[in-house]
């Protein structure tokens, strides 16, 4: 199983990932490893700084070798949102230019961020293990009307469209109230409205 689980905060994405076979490894960008405690998961937490990105690339090479040797049954990236923040911190370190507000320059730093992230995300598809990549959602709105025109993974630029294409499974996590007042957590494997999902395993 290699796939992306998208959804808003608090919709059970990490809990879903934690249900996969162990032993496993978690690339913890969100500092949310508590959800995996008590299960057979090794992990590495990355600080939100340029140093965190350098450490991530180092650890990813180590985990790729261990996965190839059969050490892990599941590898989890949690999540691409904070991974993107760390990649941007690295991009700002690599290029000294800044916008008038002192922040990133769109055609410079976001391009660097994308180029840092894309090969690292694509490498996750090569591991001989279950791979779960967790993404939050971004609502794209019409500037004039304010209406929502698309719902995509929260990834920079073209990666929002390209990265889901790397994976066979793209699930949408959401929660809903049941009639008895309890919260039910669901992963959707089919598209509905503007929300995208697909599955090659479950069929039509």
């Amino acid at each position: 199983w290699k796939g992306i689980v998208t959804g808003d905060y608090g919709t059970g994405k990490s809990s879903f990932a934690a249900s996969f076979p162990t032993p496993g490894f978690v690339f913890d960008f969100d500092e949310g490893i508590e959800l995996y405690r008590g299960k057979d998961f090794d992990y590495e937490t990355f600080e939100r700084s340029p140093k965190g990105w350098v450490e991530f690339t180092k650890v990813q090479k180590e985990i790729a070798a261990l996965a190839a040797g059969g050490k892990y049954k599941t590898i989890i990236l949690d999540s691409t949102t904070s991974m993107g923040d760390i990649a941007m911190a690295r991009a700002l370190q690599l290029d000294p230019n800044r916008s008038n507000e002192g922040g990133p320059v769109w055609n410079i730093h976001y391009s660097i961020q994308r180029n840092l992230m894309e090969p690292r995300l694509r490498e996750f598809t090569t591991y001989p293990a279950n791979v779960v990549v967790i993404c939050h959602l971004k609502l794209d709105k019409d500037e004039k009307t304010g209406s929502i025109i698309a719902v995509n993974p929260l990834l920079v630029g073209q990666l929002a469209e390209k990265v889901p294409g790397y994976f066979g499974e793209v699930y949408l996590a959401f929660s809903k109230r049941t009639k008895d007042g309890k919260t039910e957590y669901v992963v959707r494997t089919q598209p509905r409205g503007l929300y995208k999902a697909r599955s090659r395993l479950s069929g039509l």
Side-chain angles (χ1 to χ4, degrees), residues 99-154:
S99 68
N100 293 334
E101 294 77 28
V105 180
W106 176 258
N107 63 343
I108 297 176
H109 297 105
Y110 287 97
S111 294
I112 296 173
Q113 181 193 36
R114 184 183 67 245
N115 291 335
L116 288 170
M117 292 180 68
E118 185 171 6
R120 302 273 68 83
L121 288 168
R122 193 164 52 238
E123 184 174 319
F124 275 81
T125 67
T126 68
Y127 299 148
N130 297 299
V131 173
V132 187
V133 175
I134 295 175
C135 298
H136 296 103
L137 292 175
K138 176 180 67 172
L139 304 181
D140 295 325
K141 297 183 179 181
D142 184 289
E143 293 183 2
K144 293 182 179 179
T145 65
S147 60
I148 299 171
I149 57 176
V151 182
N152 287 309
L154 183 55

